[in-house]
Amino acid sequence: MRQDKLLIPTLREAPGDAEANSHKLLVRGGYIRQLAAGVYTYLPLGWRVLKKASDIVREEMNRAGAQELLMPAMQPAELWQESGRYHVYGPELIRLKDRHDREFALGPTHEEVITTLVRNDVTSYRKLPMNLYQIQTKYRDERRPRFGLLRGREFLMKDAYSFDTDWESLDKVYREMYAAYERIFTRCGLDFRAVEADSGSIGGEGETHEFMALAEIGEDTIVSCTACDYAANLEKAEAGFAEAPPRNVDQLAGIEKIYTPGTSSISQLVESLGIPADQFVKTMIYIADGKPVAVLIRGDHEVNELKLMALLEAEEVRLAENEEAVAAGVVVGFAGPVGLDLPVVADRDAANLAAWIVGANERDYHLKQVVPGRDFKLEKIGDLRNAAEGDVCPHCGQPLQFHRGIEVGHVFKLGTKYSEALGATYLDQAGKTQTMIMGCYGIGISRILSAVTEQRSDGSSMVWPVGIAPFHVHLIQISAKDEAQRKLAEELYAQLQAAGIEVLLDDRDERAGVKFKDADLMGIPLRITVGKQAAEGLVEFKNRAEDVSEVYSAEKVLAEAVSFVKG
Ligand code: 9G3
């Protein structure tokens, strides 16, 4: 295509509110424009990339045996009431009324819709397993949309739903989808990891994995082993643990009270007592399903609230407000378990300590040599903490490493959560009615654009991987008025396109510097420049990912471009 006529409004400056590098570049490169917070227009270049990423997803979904369909965005509220989720989601679920005052939700996901469809039209085991997917806009009214396409309120998702006769069949479909996801993200040029995850709000009974694109801007932390293939979202990650040998309690010294004026934080205590943080035990007060509970954790560790919820079998846990902690009998800053009239649970690494230093529940005092069981009642012990730098792999004992990641995919074994609630059943071979076993599989397609840009850009330039680049070759004619350049550029333009190469010809009457700056922002992987040496039939060929440029004849550059694009 000829650039002079295209809508590619590049900018020298990023919009003021753009923080993420990918957000800045996608706007400056003329890929997207914001219409409202978290709501974007994909300009022609952005749409070309989105379409290519979608086509890769489509190809791999079809190869994995899934069938494409398209569901509505407008979902009757009754479906969400039937599944019991209508009141689970707050303002994030966009609700509207039609002209007859009937309530609808704008679809943030489609478990209810697809399960109702299958309930009505699939009744025999012979039709299972069935895997249905769509590529469609989702609506989620995020409280704080940010980072451009990374957290939008309207975004393009591929969501697939599988229906099986039993768990073995689901396991097989799950593995096929997992493999398809690996192919998809590889073809999109992403550096990604598949990690064990928590099933979060969707619930579901089975395992779940997230596909994370490594990027510092990512809001997730992933933990992976430096030696084996263990990898998990920090929400779920475990660390290697060795139970300390049982100690002989009655050989341990009794509690000793120490005067610690004004030292309420762990770091102040480390400072004043010269004892390392891992010898202290913090007492954190949480509210679990409305009731206060004391959570004990080593001074150098952090509570993992998902693990705490699991240990307490609670629906919801949150840190207590100061006044709630005081009402529960705690002296904030000097909190401790001794003499506290609350249920007390402890992280297993804290329980491993022979004796504890804890707050005395008295201002300016701490207690030393506190022994659980002897000095206070310990209800439960479990893995309650986030894995941390320095921890070892729970599988092989080698060191763990930490990365930030952007979630671009998520696969779930749902089980019967929705099929039960919505009555999706089938008749098995014996004619008996059975409930279908479901899986669901999401990919944030619009998010891929941002994740790839984060991974493949620096300040003011980026390079798309050839599989999703808006064009393969940026053909730049330096001087719009030079006849030799125009002739050679037009010849190359025709020959490249005849060879199946997608070419953007920069035929604008602009200075060379402007053309090169725009080319850096737009990120087309190959750049062919027709300049002074056009008269000798020579052009400059640059593979921008390798920052290597050569001077080639027209024939040579054609061969190079074809081998680069066709692989
Ligand atoms: C809602 C709102 C936001 C939501 C959900 C429901 C996330 C919700 C989880 C999923 C699970 C999978 C199928 C494709 C893959 C992901 N945010 N989730 O259910 F009402 Cl407002 O969407 N769904």
Side-chain angles (χ1 to χ4, degrees):
M1 287 163 99
R2 297 171 188 277
Q3 199 164 328
D4 198 34
K5 296 285 181 288
L6 285 185
L7 174 60
I8 308 179
T10 56
L11 301 173
R12 286 290 164 268
E13 295 300 322
D17 65 343
E19 301 159 74
N21 197 36
S22 55
H23 184 191
K24 292 176 184 165
L25 274 170
L26 289 173
V27 172
R28 288 184 57 199
Y31 284 82
I32 60 173
R33 280 294 179 273
Q34 178 175 303
L35 181 64
V39 179
Y40 287 87
T41 297
Y42 297 93
L43 298 177
L45 281 190
W47 175 241
R48 285 177 75 95
V49 178
L50 199 66
K51 208 151 31 95
K52 287 195 175 179
S54 302
D55 286 344
I56 288 173
V57 170
R58 191 168 271 121
E59 261 172 54
E60 295 300 342
M61 284 297 105
N62 297 343
R63 186 193 301 189
Q67 304 172 54
E68 186 169 9
L69 49 67
L70 182 63
M71 291 178 262
M74 280 181 67
Q75 303 184 12
E78 291 79 2
L79 289 188
W80 287 72
Q81 283 149 357
E82 205 178 336
S83 73
R85 290 212 288 180
Y86 199 58
H87 299 294
V88 167
Y89 288 91
E92 192 188 355
L93 181 63
I94 299 178
R95 303 157 208 255
L96 61 101
K97 285 201 162 104
D98 69 9
R99 61 191 304 167
H100 307 296
D101 227 19
R102 279 195 289 259
E103 276 200 63
F104 284 81
L106 278 187
T109 181
H110 283 66
E111 279 81 8
E112 283 79 3
V113 177
I114 195 74
T115 308
T116 303
L117 178 81
V118 167
R119 160 181 80 187
N120 297 335
D121 294 317
V122 179
T123 53
S124 162
Y125 73 95
R126 270 190 290 275
K127 300 296 280 184
L128 303 181
M130 180 168 284
N131 193 352
L132 303 165
Y133 79 94
Q134 66 173 351
I135 295 179
Q136 192 234 37
T137 303
K138 293 284 182 287
Y139 301 86
R140 294 178 184 176
D141 200 351
E142 297 287 347
R143 187 172 48 80
R144 206 173 154 229
R146 56 200 299 229
F147 301 158
L149 303 179
L150 281 180
R151 180 166 287 283
R153 293 194 290 171
E154 185 180 310
F155 56 94
L156 193 64
M157 183 197 272
K158 182 284 300 175
D159 44 324
Y161 306 84
S162 65
F163 297 85
D164 290 274
T165 48
D166 51 42
W167 284 90
E168 296 72 64
S169 169
L170 170 58
D171 285 349
K172 183 169 175 297
V173 170
Y174 187 88
R175 280 197 305 278
E176 284 160 359
M177 293 296 270
Y178 187 109
Y181 275 44
E182 289 182 316
R183 289 195 296 272
I184 287 165
F185 297 124
T186 302
R187 290 179 62 187
C188 288
L190 273 174
D191 178 11
F192 70 95
R193 301 285 186 286
V195 301
E196 293 175 33
D198 177 78
S199 55
S201 63
I202 196 70
E205 302 141 56
E207 67 180 324
T208 170
H209 287 85
E210 282 166 342
F211 286 78
M212 295 287 186
L214 301 190
E216 274 317 299
I217 195 92
E219 61 184 26
D220 287 286
T221 298
I222 62 175
V223 181
S224 57
C225 178
T226 49
C228 74
D229 61 1
Y230 176 69
N233 188 311
L234 181 66
E235 289 171 345
K236 184 172 175 69
E238 290 183 26
F241 174 74
E243 178 122 20
R247 55 187 162 268
N248 192 332
V249 170
D250 51 27
Q251 275 168 356
L252 289 173
I255 291 183
E256 187 190 328
K257 195 168 172 182
I258 47 177
Y259 182 48
T260 53
T263 46
S264 56
S265 75
I266 291 292
S267 51
Q268 286 168 327
L269 280 166
V270 167
E271 189 61 36
S272 69
L273 299 179
I275 300 171
D278 62 11
Q279 296 302 308
F280 292 97
V281 173
K282 294 184 282 197
T283 304
M284 320 276 289
I285 308 299
Y286 277 85
I287 307 295
D289 291 348
K291 293 191 296 298
V293 61
V295 178
L296 303 179
I297 190 160
R298 231 171 63 180
D300 57 330
H301 289 155
E302 297 303 326
V303 171
N304 177 311
E305 294 189 355
L306 286 170
K307 293 181 181 178
L308 179 62
M309 268 167 78
L311 185 80
L312 297 176
E313 293 169 30
E315 284 293 302
E316 188 211 1
V317 297
R318 62 174 173 79
L319 263 177
E321 303 294 335
N322 269 4
E323 52 278 3
E324 288 172 311
V326 170
V330 163
V331 174
V332 177
F334 298 88
V338 180
L340 199 56
D341 183 18
L342 283 181
V344 180
V345 300
D347 175 70
R348 58 188 185 178
D349 284 288
N352 251 10
L353 292 172
W356 296 3
I357 304 175
V358 293
N361 262 333
E362 188 182 333
R363 182 164 310 293
D364 293 343
Y365 284 90
H366 279 77
L367 302 177
K368 281 175 75 172
Q369 285 127 225
V370 169
V371 176
R374 183 188 73 184
D375 304 323
F376 67 93
K377 187 167 175 305
L378 193 50
E379 305 266 332
K380 286 182 181 171
I381 296 176
D383 173 11
L384 292 179
R385 72 178 177 88
N386 279 334
E389 293 285 354
D391 278 331
V392 296
C393 174
H395 291 178
C396 77
Q398 292 305 304
L400 291 177
Q401 58 190 341
F402 295 75
H403 296 93
R404 307 288 294 176
I406 299 167
E407 180 190 332
V408 288
H410 200 156
V411 291
F412 300 75
K413 290 182 181 172
L414 277 182
T416 57
K417 175 173 167 138
Y418 293 89
S419 44
E420 193 93 62
L422 296 160
T425 60
Y426 69 95
L427 285 178
D428 67 12
Q429 274 143 310
K432 196 164 167 302
T433 299
Q434 305 283 4
T435 300
M436 294 181 191
I437 306 291
M438 287 176 66
C440 67
Y441 318 86
I443 290 182
I445 297 181
S446 38
R447 237 185 208 176
I448 290 176
L449 273 63
S450 290
V452 168
T453 307
E454 284 293 334
Q455 291 187 348
R456 292 167 174 265
S457 66
D458 57 29
S460 58
S461 85
M462 68 104 40
V463 184
W464 290 105
V466 69
I468 57 171
F471 292 92
H472 302 133
V473 167
H474 206 159
L475 179 57
I476 297 180
Q477 178 186 334
I478 294 296
S479 159
K481 298 185 179 60
D482 180 299
E483 183 48 30
Q485 291 185 25
R486 192 197 59 72
K487 189 167 170 301
L488 182 54
E490 288 296 336
E491 274 165 23
L492 269 174
Y493 183 52
Q495 288 163 4
L496 286 163
Q497 291 196 114
I501 307 284
E502 295 170 21
V503 187
L504 179 63
L505 170 58
D506 190 347
D507 55 350
R508 296 174 297 166
D509 188 1
E510 290 279 357
R511 285 180 297 101
V514 168
K515 296 193 173 190
F516 287 127
K517 271 206 180 66
D518 284 347
D520 283 349
L521 285 172
M522 293 156 63
I524 292 167
L526 292 185
R527 197 181 74 198
I528 297 174
T529 308
V530 180
K532 290 193 191 57
Q533 297 175 296
E536 303 139 68
L538 298 175
V539 297
E540 185 206 87
F541 174 85
K542 181 170 186 179
N543 172 346
R544 293 186 56 255
E546 273 134 43
D547 214 4
V548 172
S549 59
E550 312 276 347
V551 174
Y552 287 147
S553 67
E555 297 75 19
K556 173 89 174 131
V557 88
L558 188 61
E560 287 296 317
V562 170
S563 70
F564 178 83
V565 172
K566 305 293 181 195

